[in-house]
Amino acid sequence: MNNKESCLSCGGTGIMANGEVCACGIKAKMILPISLKIPVQYQGVRFSKDFVNKKLDPNYGNFMHNLLNDCIQNLHTFQKNILICAPPNSGKTVWTYTLYSQMYAKGFVMPKLMDLMEIRSLWLDYYTQDKEKVNLISSAKILVIKLPLDLPVKFPETMSTIIERRVRNNCSTIFLYGGSIKDLEAQDKFGKLQTIIGDGSFNSLCVKSFGMRGA
């Protein structure tokens, strides 16, 4: 393997975690797999903190930028479960597809972006014929899951189960929610979410909540 193919900055993809072309000169490999079923409006779009809504907490863009770098550059050692709360249209979905495309460029097979209830339904369907999809959800090195606004009463238990199963496979989970942590806690009628909040290691969940300036 030559030096270009083993570039530590881009991992041999030709594209840095921030979406910029790497100086190593490797031809970019950013073709997205058909299995991701990426919506047309997201195809070819890469996350950049420079395009984040200026009304958002300035720490949000930097956090997402650094997290993307961390996930890609330390992919084999990255072990953390994170809940990211931010308003709608803050670039969370673009960020996810940027992460997934770069993981695919590194040779990882990724599932399509799903929400919590879709994954719960798959796991509860004991007669599902799509065993490959279920196994991929359990074993993908980093899995991003959206939390829908109309969450069921026991959503913290579902999140906890997902985290626990994936930690057993040395995998990390990132949850995305289109609101604040206070909005999410308001839906947690039994206070179960607090029992899994921590630093993101083992079976705990690290929470990062960002809002609009002055809100």
Side-chain angles (χ1 to χ4, degrees), residues 30-116:
M30 293 294 292
I31 300 174
L32 300 176
I34 296 175
S35 60
L36 287 181
K37 298 181 180 179
I38 293 178
V40 174
Q41 64 265 36
Y42 290 107
Q43 292 181 14
V45 180
R46 299 172 192 158
F47 178 85
S48 172
K49 64 179 181 179
D50 296 327
F51 295 105
V52 171
N53 190 329
K54 303 304 180 184
K55 295 181 180 180
L56 265 170
D57 181 337
N59 294 317
Y60 171 75
N62 290 327
F63 173 79
M64 299 298 276
H65 172 83
N66 292 334
L67 180 60
L68 184 61
N69 277 325
D70 195 17
C71 289
I72 297 301
Q73 295 179 7
N74 304 305
L75 186 55
H76 294 285
T77 58
F78 184 86
Q79 291 185 331
K80 197 167 188 178
N81 305 300
I82 305 174
L83 166 61
I84 301 171
C85 300
N89 301 316
S90 54
K92 297 187 296 298
T93 302
V94 171
W95 182 92
T96 301
Y97 287 135
T98 302
L99 170 65
Y100 274 22
S101 65
Q102 294 193 46
M103 290 185 69
Y104 177 74
K106 288 178 175 288
F108 289 84
V109 178
M110 302 304 299
K112 71 175 185 178
L113 179 60
M114 290 184 282
D115 66 38
L116 188 69

Side-chain angles (χ1 to χ4, degrees), residues 48 61 117 164:
S48 172
M117 305 321 298
E164 183 178 356

Side-chain angles (χ1 to χ4, degrees), residues 122-192:
L122 274 174
W123 274 352
L124 289 178
D125 185 1
Y126 297 105
Y127 302 101
T128 180
Q129 298 301 310
D130 202 344
K131 301 294 184 182
E132 183 177 349
K133 182 182 291 185
V134 173
N135 290 335
L136 186 57
I137 290 171
S138 300
S139 62
K141 181 59 181 174
I142 300 177
L143 182 68
V144 181
I145 302 173
K146 284 193 167 187
L147 298 183
L149 296 178
D150 55 339
L151 285 163
V153 174
K154 293 189 175 183
F155 73 89
E157 286 89 338
T158 302
M159 293 173 67
S160 180
T161 299
I162 290 173
I163 291 172
E164 183 178 356
R165 289 185 182 182
R166 287 180 44 75
V167 165
R168 292 203 299 262
N169 291 325
N170 294 313
C171 300
S172 301
T173 310
I174 298 175
F175 296 93
L176 304 177
Y177 179 65
S180 70
I181 184 60
K182 290 185 177 179
D183 295 332
L184 200 57
E185 289 174 338
Q187 297 193 59
D188 181 18
K189 300 185 182 301
F190 301 104
K192 295 292 185 178

Side-chain angles (χ1 to χ4, degrees), residues 198-213:
D199 63 0
S201 61
F202 301 104
N203 293 340
S204 69
L205 184 65
C206 176
V207 177
K208 297 294 182 179
S209 186
F210 305 91
M212 305 298 279
R213 295 187 187 187

